[in-house]
Amino acid sequence: MSSLVVRARRVVLPDGERAAAVHTADGVVTAVTGYDDVPPGAVTLADDEVLIPGLVDSHVHVNEPGRTEWEGFATATRAAAAGGVTTIVDMPLNSLPPTTTLEALHVKREVAQGQVAVDVAFWGGAVPGNVDQLRPLHEAGVVGFKCFLLDSGVPEFPPLDDAGLRAALTELAALDALLIAHAEDPDVIAAAPDPAGTSYAAFLASRPPAAEETAIGRLVAATRDTGARTHVVHLADADALPLLRAARAEGLRISVETCPHYLTFAAEDVPDGDTAYKCCPPIREVAHREALWSALAAGDVDLVVSDHSPCTPELKRLDVGDFGLAWGGIASLQVALPAVWSGARARGVPLTDVVRWMSAAPARQADLATKGAIAVGRDADLVAFAPDERWTVDRLLHRNPVTPYAGRELTGVVRRTWLRGEETHGSPRGRLLRRGGVAS
């Protein structure tokens, strides 16, 4: 029986941080004991290292098959492991075929098998005309369903109108399955100025905060009418928080995430023509960033995930710097933890909070019961993290290392990552997971 014991003066556990030894066998945590209660051969972390649970990133666009030149399972999961992320959940779009049918899920699993360096679960997609596929996909183990409320940017993943949204939610409510939504309103955006050109201010004006608020209002109403469970992905507009707070006070089952780029950057600092910063919804002004940090502290935002959405350098149109032409998406899977920790540390937010937002909360949201904590019975997914070490972002492992983090100094270095009790070095030993956290 394979076993590993790791001890550290600082271990982030579900009930707080303390010195401890974590005992594992066959990839599962079997005991958490005092620091000195270890057998010979135990791994002892350095004094400047903290042992944390492997992160769970429930918002990753792997893009394989079909757009593997953008990203792929091998490259994405190697980057994840290097960043202390031991489980990712793959988004259903940007791959060809998209994960909107049971057959497409089988295709994606077949392609991923044998390639992944960390554990991988899958979202299904909710698009017009596939209500009959939602139950089969749910029964096959997807963790929930992603939809867009406006054009997704790829024609094979069209958006749901209000009737389609309610039809999907009615079916998902019967399954108690989760719908996650890209919430921007197409009519608000259609009435906004054209984003063409190198001006970041013009791009920001083309996707105003009202687009998020209107779409979230539509989602709240549909959640109320159907009794379903819903979730808002990548919130950038802090002015939408009162809507969500009121919906939850009403008893609606609606949750919300934000992303490292909304917590790190601010519109005032984005250089004109630097399309590496383009994402949708856009990085907003510093007031939104600070309000999102406050909302996390207050529990009004539930989790932080990367929304890793890379593409080829050509699609980013760095050659012309045109925000209207460039693909929208930020690549950040490998740097999500140090990016968020750098911001948290500067604001006096403890590492225990960051771990909750980036490990426990996304594991719970995606119903991955074996992930998200250093606790008996959970997978022995562990990370040695040096929270005080400073470094400059380079040597990125995802396929196309175009990112606004390049060259940025961050604090916090992932030194070692263990997946189910074995140290990872980017080798393909991850598993494909079904909802619940069991291997598929």
Side-chain angles (χ1 to χ4, degrees), residues 362-376:
R364 188 180 311 113
Q365 181 224 27
D367 192 14
L368 298 175
T370 64
K371 304 296 184 179
I374 299 174
V376 173

Side-chain angles (χ1 to χ4, degrees), residues 35-296:
Y35 179 84
D36 294 322
D37 185 9
V38 296
V43 175
T44 301
L45 296 197
D47 288 344
D48 68 336
E49 295 175 342
V50 184
L51 188 66
I52 66 173
L55 302 189
V56 176
D57 192 335
S58 57
H59 195 146
V60 177
H61 294 270
V62 175
N63 304 337
E64 188 177 8
R67 291 189 174 96
T68 311
E69 69 274 16
W70 296 17
E71 187 64 281
F73 283 106
T75 49
T77 57
R78 281 200 297 268
V85 177
T86 51
T87 306
I88 67 169
V89 189
D90 173 55
M91 282 288 160
L93 72 157
N94 299 344
S95 56
L96 293 168
T99 318
T100 54
T101 66
L102 185 59
E103 180 182 0
L105 176 64
H106 293 326
V107 169
K108 185 166 281 195
R109 283 177 167 162
E110 287 169 9
V111 169
Q113 190 69 51
Q115 286 204 73
V116 296
V118 300
D119 289 351
V120 179
F122 300 91
W123 293 103
V127 296
N130 85 325
V131 169
D132 64 336
Q133 291 293 310
L134 302 182
R135 182 179 292 272
L137 282 164
H138 176 76
E139 291 173 349
V142 300
V143 304
F145 296 86
K146 169 75 175 287
C147 78
F148 273 69
L149 300 183
L150 82 169
D151 180 15
S152 71
V154 291
E156 67 276 2
F157 203 94
L160 296 177
D161 61 15
D162 280 344
L165 177 63
R166 280 170 167 73
L169 284 177
T170 298
E171 177 71 2
L172 296 181
L175 304 171
D176 197 32
L178 177 66
L179 182 84
I180 67 174
H182 181 125
E184 289 182 284
D185 186 84
D187 295 334
V188 173
I189 290 174
D194 187 345
T198 60
S199 166
Y200 186 77
F203 170 63
L204 187 62
S206 77
R207 301 187 85 105
E212 289 189 74
E213 292 154 35
T214 302
I216 288 170
R218 289 169 53 201
L219 184 65
V220 167
T223 303
R224 180 184 298 114
D225 292 346
T226 60
R229 294 194 295 131
T230 58
H231 174 83
V232 176
V233 298
H234 51 49
L235 183 72
D237 170 32
D239 292 340
L241 288 164
L243 280 170
L244 291 160
R245 195 180 300 117
R248 301 212 285 201
E250 184 185 330
L252 302 186
R253 296 186 296 168
I254 187 166
S255 54
V256 60
E257 69 189 41
T258 194
C259 303
H261 39 280
Y262 301 130
L263 298 172
T264 301
F265 304 116
E268 292 92 337
D269 302 322
V270 176
D272 285 348
D274 195 342
T275 52
Y277 287 85
K278 181 180 176 178
C279 58
C280 299
I283 294 164
R284 301 198 185 280
E285 296 87 350
V286 66
H288 289 274
R289 182 185 69 191
E290 297 309 313
L292 289 171
W293 276 107
S294 297
L296 278 163

